Amino acid sequence: MAYNYHYIDDNPTRRNASIARGWKIPDSLDITPHDATAWDNQVAQIAQLISNGVSGFILDWRLNEQGTNIHYSAEALAEQIRFIIKDQNSAAVPIILVSQSIDDFRRRYEGNLNVNGLFDSHYSKEELMTESNKQQIMSIAAAYQTLNDLTSSNANHEEKIQRLFSIPTCSNLHPDFIESLQIKMGISISDTVQFILNSVVLHPSFLIEEDWVAARLGIDKANSFDWDILKNDFLASAKYNGIFANAWERWWMFGIEQWWRSNMVDKSLQNTSAPERVDKIKVYTGLQNLVAATKLPLCKSDNFWTICEGHKRPLSNMDGFVIRGQSNLAIWQEKKQVSLDAAIQRINIDEWEAIAAQYKPKFEKLKSFYAD
Amino acid sequence: MENNLLEQEQINFTVDAGIINRLGQELVGRRETAVAELIKNAYDADATVVTLNFIDCNEVEQGTLTIEDDGCGMNKEQLISGFMRIASIDKIENPVSAKYKRYKAGKKGIGRFATQFLGNKLTIITQTLTAEKALSITIDWDKYVIGQNIESIYNPISEIPKTKSEGTSLIINGVRDVWTNAQINRVFRYVSELLQPNYLSDREDAFKFAVKNKDAFEVKFFKTENTLKTDIADSQKLIFDRALAIIEGYVDKTKDAYITVQSTAFDIDEELMPISAGDNSKDRDIVLPYKTLRNVHFKAYYFIYEANYYEDMPKMELNRLKELSKEAGIRLYRNGFRVLPYGEEGNDWLEIDKTDTNKVKVLIQETNKKIDAYIPFGNRNFWGFVEVLDTQKPTLFEETASREGLIENEALSELKDFLFKSLKKAAEKINYQRFLRKDKKEREVKQTVEKTLKEEIKKLQEVINSITTVSNADTFSSEPISQEIKTLIDNVAQRYEVERQQTIETEGMLRVLAGLGLVIGEFAHEIRQFTPAFQGDISFLLRQNLPTDIKEAVDDLAQNFKDFQTYASYFDEAITQNTHRELVPLNLQSIVDKFSKTVAKDAQNSKISIELEHMRGEYYTCPMHYSEWTSILWNFYTNAKKAIRRARASVGKIKISCGEEKDKIYLEFQDNGDGIPPGNENKIFNAFFSTTTPASYTATITEQQTGTGLGLKIVKDTIEFYQGEIFLIPAESGYTTCFRIEAPKSSQKQLDEYGL
C-alpha cells in the first residue's frame, strides 16, 4: 500500500511537479503537489483532503515568498491542519517541513525543531530526494497509522507499548519511560510519535545504532569483514523491530548485553576491554575476521562504550567529553561525547558544536597540554 | 646726589643700580641663556654634577630655583673679587679650569645677571675644600632700582656651617616666570652641548680600568611641585637613545681586536666581529693581532641626519641633533683623563672624512631611484670615546710637551688603524642591513598615503605648538618658523590632493565591482528556487528504464547538474553569510575545510589535487567578515588554476595550510603553476596589473571587468583593512608560488565577547 503525502508549495506548478517527481517511489511513496493558495481556499482544500484520507502533508516553509495572495506561514498552516484533524475527528497524520533554506529553519528553531509539536521532521528539498530520507517519512507515516490503530483498540497501556515496540514484555523498559510514554499517549498521537522518535530513536538510549553496537562489542567494524554476519545473524535477537525500524536501524541494548552474558561471559561488557570482548566473540561465533577497535589518539581506555562524535569511532566513557545541549536528558538516554583529540582539532565540529560547559575547564587544561 | 660728589674737584663715574636690570636684559635676554650660563659656571668650577630643581614654579614670583654643584666653590676673596665685581677679568686670566683643565665655557661675567634675570632674590652658599666654614650671601635684586647708586647697596654675608665638602648652591627665589615641563626640557636641550661623556660603557669593570672618568660632567634637572620631586630629563637618553647603531670594540691584553654592533633600527645584533691588524688585502682574511696596541676600549654612537631613518623624530629635534653634530667625533681618554685635541670640534684625527664613499650611488630597480650606496660615513656621524689603559711601564703613549695631543708613534697609528677599521666595518654591516631593510619596506607599502598625510599634519601641528611655547622670547626669530609652516602646509595640501585623486579612482573601481556583486547576489538567490525542480526531474528520470543512449544522457545530465550545484552552493552560502553583517572571530581551519570540500569536484575535473595542512589547536582571527574569506580563497583558487593551466603541469597541486604564530594567524596558499616572474612580486598586488592578455573589445562585459588584475588588489585591501599582511614567500619543494596571509589573532577579550 502506497503512502500518499500531499505537498504544498508556493512555487510555480511545473516546479512543484518536478520536485514531487523527485520524491516519489513508485508504488510505495506517492507525492501529490499542490500550489499554495489563499488561506480560505487552502484550508478548505486541506479539510477535503483529510476527509478523503491522506498519509501526511509536506509543507514548504516559506509559503509567502512567490505568490502574491499568500499571507500565512507554514507554521500557521500546520496548526490549522492539526486543528482540522481534531475537529473532524480524523486519523492523525504527520506534517513534514521542507525548505530551500533548511539551515535557516534549523538555526531559527534550534532546541525546538518540532516547533512545539507542529512538525514531525524537516528536510531540505534536496535531502528528501535520497532513499533513506524517503524511507523516513514513510516510516513516520506508518508510525502514525500504527498509533491510530492502537488508539482505537481495546488494548491496555502495556499491551499497546508491546505492540508499538514489537516486544513480548515491557520489563526491559525503564518505568520512567513507560510512564512518560503513557502521558504522551494521553495527549495526542503526534506528541507520542515525536516523543518516541526524538527520545529513543534519534538519540542513543535503550535503542542504539550500529556504530554503538560495534563500539560496545569492542569491534572495529570498518576493518572486520565478518561484521555483517555477526550483526545480521548472531545479533538478530537483539534487533529492534518496532515503529520506525524500517527507516532507522536500531538494536536493543539489553538484548546485546543479554546475548553477551548468556553466551560468552557473565561479566558486564562495559568492564571488559575491547580485545578481550573480541576474543570471546570470535571463540563463540567462530568468526575470525573480527578486529578489535583501537583507542583514538590521546585516549587511555579501550573499554569502549560510546562513539566519538568527531571521529565516529569507539570511545570509552573515561576518555569522552560530553557535548553541550544535553543537560535535560531523560534517564533512559545516553550522553553523546567527543574525544579529546577530536575536540582539539575540531573534527566534525558542525555536528557537535561544543563541549558541555562543566567539562570545559578540564578540556582547556588538557588542550593546552597537548595542542601544538 | 650725594653732597660729597658735588663738592669734589675730581669726579669719578658712578653707576646707577638700574644697570643690573638693563645688563641682565641685554646680555642675557632669554631664560635658556640664563640657566645655561649658570650651568656653565658650575662646569668652569670643575663640578662633576650640577643639580637644578624647579620648586613650585607654576606661579609667577612664587617659585624657587636651586642650582647646586660640587665644584671647587669660592672663598671670600674669590666671592668679592669675582662674583661681586661686575666685568671682572677672571675668565681672561684663567682660561682653563684649575682641576680638570677644562676650557672655560661660561661667557665672561654673565652669571650674576642670569640670576637676576631668573628671580628677584639670590642666595649663594659656597664652600671650598679647605675652608672650615661655608659662606652665605643674599642679594635682593629688587633693591637695585633706578635712582640708586650701585655701590650704596649692601648685601648681608655670613659664615655658616659647611653644607658639603666643596661646591656652590645658588638659591633663586621669586622666580619671575612660570616654568612648564616643556620649557624646562627646552632649556635642558639647550645646555646639552656641554655634556661631557658620562656615557662610559659598562665594560669598565671587566677591563679593570683604574679610575672612573673624573672628567665627567652631569646635569640633572628636577621639578618639585607640592613637595613631590620628579626627574625631568635624563642626560644620556636624550641624545643616545636616538642613535641608529651602537658600536663597541676593544683590544684586549693579548692585542686581539674585536667589535660588536647593535642596532634596532637596522635589526643588527652582532657579537664579536674580529678586526685584523693586517694592512694589505691578503692579510685581511687572516685575523692578525696588533703589535703594540692593547687594553683599548671604545664606544661610538652612530647617527644619520636624515628624518627617514628615524621613527617619529620631530623636525626640531633633528635640527638640534644636526647642530650638535659639530661636536661629534671620537674623544680620547688615557688613564681616565681626556687627551686633547682628539675629538674636538673640527678634529678628524681618524681621517674618516677623507673617505670617499659618500659619492657612490646605487640604482634601486623597483623605484627606479638612485640612493647612496653607502650610508653616511663622516666624522660627524659618530659620537664616542676611546679609553686606553696605559699604566704599564714603558707606556704605549707619550704626551707632547705642549700637552696638546700625543706623540706620533706605533701605538698611536695602531690605535687610529683599529678605530678606523672598526667604524668602517660597522658601517658596512649597517649598509648591508639597510638594503635588506629597504626590501622589507617595499612590502610594508600600506603605511603609505594615509600615514604620510597624517605625518604631514602632525609635523605642522608640532611646529605650531612650538611657536606658542617660544612666544615669550623676543630675540627668537620668527622668520624661519613661518617659512617652515608655509612649506608644511603646502606639503599637506599636495599630499591631500594626491590622496583625493587616488580615492576617487578607487571608489570608481569599487562601484563597478559592487554593481557586479549585487547582480551576482540576485542571481545566486534565484538559482536556489530552480535547483530542487531540476533535481526532482533528474532523479525521476534516473529511476526509469531507459534505452542505453538516453540513460547515458540522463546520467551526464545528473552529473553536470551536480557540479553546477556545488559551484552555486558556495556562492549561495557567501550571499547568505553576507546578510549577517557581523564581524566575528573566525576559525580559519573550518573555513578552509569547507572551501576545499566545495571546490573538490571542480578541482578533480581540472586534475588538481588539494592538500590541507593545519596546525593543531583552536585559534581565531580578529573579528572579520566570513564572506571576505570566501572571496580571498576563491581568488587564490582561480588564479592558481590559471597558473597551473599555463604551466601545463600534468598534475596540478594546491596546498593550503593555516595555523598560528605568535600573535598572528597565518594562511599559506601554494600551487605548482607557472610561478610569478621575479620583479613582479609586489606588482601583482597593484590594481589592473595582469599578465594575461587583456580581453578584446568583443569580450563580454564580465570578461572585461573580471580577470583584469583586480582580484589580488582587493584581497590585499581586505587583509590590510584588518591590519594584516599579504606577501609572497618561497614555496615548498614541489610548488612554485606561495602566498602568505597574516591576520591579527583575536584577543581573549574578543573571544569572550563572542562566547568562544
Side-chain angles (χ1 to χ4, degrees):
Chain A
M1 189 207 61
Y3 294 97
N4 186 10
Y5 270 92
H6 289 262
Y7 165 48
I8 302 171
D9 197 327
D10 61 329
N11 267 334
T13 317
R14 193 170 308 181
R15 255 183 258 167
N16 289 339
S18 298
I19 294 170
R21 228 174 272 138
W23 291 341
K24 281 188 214 194
I25 301 180
D27 303 326
S28 302
L29 179 60
D30 223 355
I31 313 281
T32 311
H34 302 272
D35 297 348
T37 58
W39 181 258
D40 289 341
N41 272 352
Q42 191 66 71
V43 165
Q45 184 194 43
I46 285 175
Q48 186 62 52
L49 288 169
I50 290 173
S51 65
N52 291 346
V54 297
S55 303
F57 289 95
I58 301 176
L59 304 182
D60 174 45
W61 187 31
R62 294 214 163 106
L63 286 171
N64 50 347
E65 256 186 343
Q66 309 267 344
T68 44
N69 57 348
I70 298 161
H71 306 291
Y72 55 87
S73 63
E75 291 92 323
L77 194 56
E79 188 75 66
Q80 190 65 20
I81 293 173
R82 301 264 182 227
F83 171 75
I84 293 171
I85 288 170
K86 248 201 168 130
D87 198 44
Q88 291 184 358
N89 220 7
S90 304
V93 295
I95 305 177
I96 308 291
L97 183 98
V98 290
S99 178
Q100 238 343 79
S101 23
I102 199 66
D103 288 331
D104 285 351
F105 171 82
R106 286 170 181 155
R107 256 193 296 265
R108 167 101 86 87
Y109 288 109
E110 193 186 339
N112 180 22
L113 289 167
N114 292 112
V115 191
N116 303 328
L118 284 179
F119 302 109
D120 296 282
S121 197
H122 45 86
Y123 305 91
S124 74
K125 291 178 184 173
E126 281 101 321
E127 280 169 356
L128 206 40
M129 307 231 174
T130 62
E131 270 314 300
S132 56
N133 288 333
K134 290 180 202 178
Q135 289 294 329
Q136 286 180 6
I137 64 171
M138 290 197 294
S139 187
I140 294 172
Y144 267 82
Q145 278 176 2
T146 310
L147 275 161
N148 276 313
D149 294 339
L150 280 176
T151 310
S152 51
S153 82
N154 292 326
N156 67 26
H157 181 63
E158 215 175 275
E159 283 166 354
K160 285 182 184 172
I161 294 179
Q162 285 163 1
R163 275 159 60 178
L164 263 182
F165 288 92
S166 196
I167 39 175
T169 164
C170 288
S171 55
N172 290 309
L173 295 175
H174 199 286
D176 283 2
F177 175 74
I178 296 173
E179 189 181 77
S180 303
L181 182 54
Q182 187 167 18
I183 294 171
K184 294 292 181 187
M185 286 172 87
I187 301 174
S188 74
I189 289 177
S190 56
D191 271 89
T192 312
V193 166
Q194 287 164 23
F195 171 69
I196 298 174
L197 185 59
N198 293 327
S199 168
V200 302
V201 176
L202 294 179
H203 193 100
S205 61
F206 47 76
L207 292 177
I208 52 172
E209 54 176 32
E210 191 179 333
D211 284 348
W212 283 62
V213 176
R216 288 186 174 180
L217 291 178
I219 292 173
D220 176 356
K221 94 177 201 247
N223 291 317
S224 303
F225 296 119
D226 284 337
W227 166 251
D228 283 336
I229 303 174
L230 179 68
K231 175 185 78 169
N232 296 326
D233 297 351
F234 292 91
L235 297 174
S237 58
K239 189 87 196 288
Y240 171 69
N241 292 314
I243 56 166
F244 303 121
N246 288 342
W248 287 277
E249 258 196 320
R250 295 291 182 267
W251 283 259
W252 290 100
M253 185 53 220
F254 82 85
I256 303 282
E257 186 86 40
Q258 225 167 50
W259 175 79
W260 164 262
R261 278 196 195 248
S262 33
N263 298 311
M264 269 133 291
V265 74
D266 195 12
K267 179 178 141 183
S268 100
L269 263 173
Q270 199 169 6
N271 290 335
T272 319
S273 74
E276 202 190 325
R277 295 177 201 169
V278 172
D279 280 343
K280 298 236 178 323
I281 294 172
K282 279 161 90 168
V283 165
Y284 170 73
T285 61
L287 298 170
Q288 290 312 303
N289 281 314
L290 293 173
V291 177
T294 50
K295 292 180 279 198
L296 286 165
L298 306 181
C299 286
K300 298 209 165 66
S301 164
D302 54 11
N303 287 19
F304 302 124
W305 202 243
T306 179
I307 290 289
C308 164
E309 295 294 329
H311 287 293
K312 298 293 187 196
R313 274 177 52 196
L315 179 69
S316 75
N317 278 339
M318 181 180 142
D319 292 315
F321 288 89
V322 174
I323 293 165
R324 76 163 183 156
Q326 300 181 90
S327 48
N328 282 330
L329 292 188
I331 194 150
W332 58 87
Q333 292 181 302
E334 304 262 8
K335 291 199 176 181
K336 290 189 183 178
Q337 301 181 62
V338 75
S339 67
L340 176 63
D341 183 65
I344 290 175
Q345 294 196 68
R346 303 160 60 81
I347 295 177
N348 232 348
I349 193 153
D350 288 338
E351 272 202 36
W352 51 272
E353 284 176 32
I355 291 178
Q358 71 175 120
Y359 297 94
K360 266 205 172 129
K362 180 183 168 197
F363 169 66
E364 290 297 327
K365 216 167 158 185
L366 288 168
K367 182 175 96 166
S368 59
F369 188 69
Y370 285 111
D372 283 339
Chain B
M1 201 175 301
E2 287 190 33
N3 288 333
N4 290 352
L5 287 169
L6 285 171
E7 283 164 16
Q8 271 176 337
E9 284 175 2
Q10 297 200 33
I11 47 182
N12 49 299
F13 279 107
T14 54
V15 187
D16 188 293
I19 199 170
I20 299 282
N21 197 40
R22 273 186 59 192
L23 284 174
Q25 293 298 327
E26 282 168 33
L27 290 174
V28 181
R30 289 161 58 202
R31 39 171 149 177
E32 290 94 337
T33 320
V35 174
E37 280 306 317
L38 296 173
I39 293 175
K40 286 181 191 176
N41 283 353
Y43 175 79
D44 294 343
D46 284 321
T48 58
V49 182
V50 181
T51 308
L52 285 85
N53 194 355
F54 292 81
I55 304 168
D56 292 328
C57 289
N58 36 3
E59 273 179 78
V60 173
E61 306 222 342
Q62 303 298 320
T64 303
L65 168 60
T66 63
I67 303 174
E68 296 207 22
D69 70 60
D70 60 351
C72 51
M74 292 178 274
N75 55 30
K76 200 163 186 178
E77 201 206 316
Q78 286 167 324
L79 197 58
I80 293 170
S81 62
F83 185 84
M84 294 307 289
R85 188 169 180 77
I86 294 172
S88 89
I89 52 168
D90 173 68
K91 294 254 160 79
I92 301 170
E93 285 183 332
N94 304 302
V96 277
S97 69
K99 202 167 167 188
Y100 298 124
K101 306 284 182 266
R102 294 171 177 166
Y103 281 101
K104 288 199 177 172
K107 286 206 197 116
K108 311 172 237 313
I110 302 285
R112 60 191 75 82
F113 298 112
T115 59
Q116 186 270 345
F117 188 86
L118 291 169
N120 57 21
K121 199 161 162 192
L122 169 68
T123 303
I124 306 176
I125 299 173
T126 183
Q127 54 252 298
T128 60
L129 191 62
T130 52
E132 278 176 13
K133 285 199 185 264
L135 292 168
S136 168
I137 179 167
T138 304
I139 299 164
D140 183 354
W141 295 113
D142 285 346
K143 287 203 269 183
Y144 287 80
V145 292
I146 298 173
Q148 286 280 346
N149 191 359
I150 200 174
E151 297 200 6
S152 68
I153 299 168
Y154 287 89
N155 306 287
I157 183 169
S158 56
E159 282 187 339
I160 58 170
K162 277 174 106 166
T163 55
K164 44 193 166 188
S165 62
E166 57 176 349
T168 304
S169 306
L170 301 176
I171 302 156
I172 301 169
N173 293 111
V175 172
R176 296 190 198 280
D177 295 298
V178 169
W179 285 84
T180 60
N181 277 10
Q183 285 157 338
I184 299 173
N185 269 322
R186 277 187 58 238
V187 170
F188 182 83
R189 280 199 284 275
Y190 188 81
V191 305
S192 59
E193 65 201 63
L194 291 177
L195 294 180
Q196 290 293 308
N198 198 32
Y199 39 84
L200 293 181
S201 74
D202 337 329
R203 293 204 195 217
E204 207 182 86
D205 284 341
F207 286 94
K208 305 226 180 311
F209 277 91
V211 292
K212 193 170 167 77
N213 189 11
K214 281 199 184 133
D215 190 51
F217 179 70
E218 198 187 337
V219 182
K220 294 183 184 164
F221 271 56
F222 291 97
K223 184 175 174 173
T224 303
E225 237 164 69
N226 296 326
T227 72
L228 189 66
K229 191 171 174 186
T230 47
D231 197 328
I232 290 292
D234 180 10
S235 45
Q236 184 168 353
K237 271 172 88 73
L238 223 53
I239 300 182
F240 299 114
D241 267 8
R242 284 300 198 181
L244 291 173
I246 301 174
I247 308 148
E248 232 180 306
Y250 57 96
V251 180
D252 62 20
K253 56 180 187 259
T254 60
K255 301 170 198 160
D256 290 309
Y258 303 92
I259 64 163
T260 77
V261 182
Q262 261 158 336
S263 167
T264 346
F266 293 107
D267 205 13
I268 306 172
D269 192 5
E270 286 288 336
E271 279 293 318
L272 293 182
M273 298 186 281
I275 300 284
S276 174
D279 242 344
N280 52 39
S281 51
K282 252 206 271 174
D283 280 352
R284 260 206 281 274
D285 293 334
I286 313 162
V287 180
L288 294 174
Y290 281 97
K291 295 200 184 102
T292 49
L293 195 65
R294 56 168 198 272
N295 291 335
V296 173
H297 169 227
F298 87 89
K299 189 164 181 176
Y301 295 80
Y302 176 70
F303 290 86
I304 300 178
Y305 303 102
E306 278 167 54
N308 57 313
Y309 283 96
Y310 301 93
E311 286 192 18
D312 247 359
M313 159 100 76
K315 196 158 181 181
M316 283 191 79
E317 197 180 329
L318 183 64
N319 287 342
R320 184 93 227 129
L321 256 182
K322 279 190 200 167
E323 257 181 68
L324 291 173
S325 69
K326 289 186 300 226
E327 319 235 344
I330 309 287
R331 296 170 191 199
L332 173 59
Y333 294 82
R334 176 169 169 265
N335 295 336
F337 288 94
R338 175 89 188 272
V339 182
L340 292 171
Y342 303 103
E344 288 280 84
E345 187 175 331
N347 176 283
D348 180 22
W349 63 293
L350 299 174
E351 298 186 10
I352 303 173
D353 285 336
K354 294 214 173 84
T355 335
D356 240 351
T357 55
N358 299 327
K359 305 262 170 32
V360 183
K361 290 202 186 286
V362 143
L363 174 68
I364 302 290
Q365 276 179 335
E366 282 91 339
T367 54
N368 208 33
K369 269 201 243 165
K370 286 193 179 173
I371 59 163
D372 296 331
Y374 294 93
I375 47 171
F377 185 73
N379 197 36
R380 51 164 234 151
N381 295 104
F382 296 96
W383 291 70
F385 64 89
V386 55
E387 22 184 36
V388 173
L389 184 55
D390 188 23
T391 47
Q392 269 183 283
K393 297 267 190 298
T395 58
L396 287 178
F397 300 97
E398 267 186 67
E399 301 196 24
T400 58
S402 62
R403 301 235 175 254
E404 282 277 330
L406 300 168
I407 292 176
E408 291 282 341
N409 59 9
E410 187 168 28
L412 185 58
S413 56
E414 284 196 330
L415 179 64
K416 289 188 195 175
D417 180 70
F418 166 60
L419 289 170
F420 181 83
K421 282 185 181 155
S422 302
L423 296 180
K424 191 93 201 301
K425 184 149 193 171
E428 280 167 15
K429 181 80 202 165
I430 295 169
N431 200 37
Y432 172 68
Q433 286 296 121
R434 187 175 71 124
F435 274 108
L436 286 188
R437 194 176 80 144
K438 256 198 147 38
D439 281 343
K440 192 174 171 215
K441 271 208 150 55
E442 293 289 334
R443 284 193 277 130
E444 298 163 14
V445 156
K446 181 55 184 174
Q447 285 95 357
T448 52
V449 182
E450 212 182 85
K451 207 184 174 189
T452 325
L453 184 60
K454 269 198 198 145
E455 272 171 354
E456 299 283 0
I457 294 174
K458 195 178 168 188
K459 282 183 213 168
L460 188 55
Q461 277 173 341
E462 270 166 10
V463 173
I464 292 173
N465 282 340
S466 70
I467 290 176
T468 56
T469 60
V470 174
S471 59
N472 288 328
D474 42 17
T475 56
F476 200 97
S477 166
S478 57
E479 234 327 287
I481 288 293
S482 57
Q483 187 53 47
E484 204 174 353
I485 293 183
K486 269 184 95 180
T487 315
L488 284 172
I489 290 178
D490 284 338
N491 288 348
V492 168
Q494 268 178 33
R495 180 49 67 189
Y496 174 72
E497 193 46 44
V498 166
E499 225 188 297
R500 203 173 68 89
Q501 279 309 317
Q502 285 175 334
T503 308
I504 291 174
E505 272 174 42
T506 314
E507 273 179 18
M509 194 173 70
L510 290 175
R511 243 199 319 275
V512 164
L513 292 171
L516 251 179
L518 288 174
V519 168
I520 292 171
E522 263 309 298
F523 178 68
H525 183 74
E526 284 306 305
I527 286 181
R528 291 155 112 228
Q529 308 301 325
F530 289 86
T531 43
F534 282 125
Q535 276 176 314
D537 284 333
I538 290 174
S539 161
F540 172 76
L541 285 171
L542 284 171
R543 285 193 301 252
Q544 309 310 308
N545 257 333
L546 297 166
T548 321
D549 52 349
I550 300 182
K551 184 145 196 339
E552 258 176 45
V554 174
D555 283 339
D556 287 343
L557 175 63
Q559 192 50 56
N560 287 336
F561 185 74
K562 208 158 164 228
D563 296 346
F564 166 79
Q565 254 199 306
T566 314
Y567 238 69
S569 73
Y570 190 63
F571 292 103
D572 189 33
E573 204 180 299
I575 304 296
T576 14
Q577 284 294 333
N578 252 326
T579 61
H580 305 279
R581 305 222 134 266
E582 251 200 359
L583 300 178
V584 286
L586 295 173
N587 180 261
L588 274 192
Q589 299 134 292
S590 340
I591 294 177
V592 171
D593 286 345
K594 230 179 210 159
F595 172 80
S596 72
K597 283 199 186 101
T598 310
V599 299
K601 198 63 209 228
D602 180 77
Q604 199 183 42
N605 291 345
S606 316
K607 297 202 180 29
I608 296 176
S609 71
I610 301 182
E611 189 193 330
L612 301 180
E613 187 182 72
H614 301 322
M615 232 178 83
R616 279 161 76 94
E618 197 173 327
Y619 36 89
Y620 294 86
T621 64
C622 62
M624 294 177 74
H625 206 281
Y626 178 88
S627 71
E628 284 175 316
W629 278 103
T630 309
S631 319
I632 292 171
L633 288 169
W634 193 258
N635 190 277
F636 281 154
Y637 177 67
T638 46
N639 281 347
K641 264 175 74 176
K642 286 184 202 154
I644 290 170
R645 206 181 309 139
R646 285 193 300 261
R648 295 182 216 265
S650 53
V651 175
K653 293 199 294 176
I654 287 176
K655 182 171 175 186
I656 314 176
S657 7
C658 61
E660 61 173 326
E661 236 172 55
K662 292 186 199 166
D663 60 347
K664 297 241 183 285
I665 306 292
Y666 71 82
L667 176 126
E668 288 177 3
F669 197 105
Q670 311 189 57
D671 67 67
N672 66 339
D674 62 347
I676 302 199
N680 281 354
E681 291 91 351
N682 294 313
K683 291 186 192 156
I684 52 173
F685 295 110
N686 293 343
F688 304 112
F689 178 86
S690 179
T691 52
T692 57
T693 321
S696 70
Y697 65 90
T698 55
T700 64
I701 296 186
T702 320
E703 271 174 346
Q704 284 174 31
Q705 285 171 341
T706 58
T708 52
L710 294 169
L712 280 176
K713 159 127 181 83
I714 293 176
V715 169
K716 183 164 186 266
D717 284 350
T718 304
I719 292 294
E720 287 179 353
F721 176 78
Y722 293 103
Q723 314 297 317
E725 276 186 83
I726 173 170
F727 45 90
L728 288 164
I729 60 170
E732 290 172 19
S733 127
Y735 296 91
T736 51
T737 308
C738 181
F739 282 94
R740 180 174 164 106
I741 291 180
E742 284 177 2
K745 203 169 147 181
S746 61
S747 64
Q748 190 54 49
K749 188 166 171 226
Q750 285 165 330
L751 290 176
D752 291 337
E753 216 178 290
Y754 290 92
L756 291 165

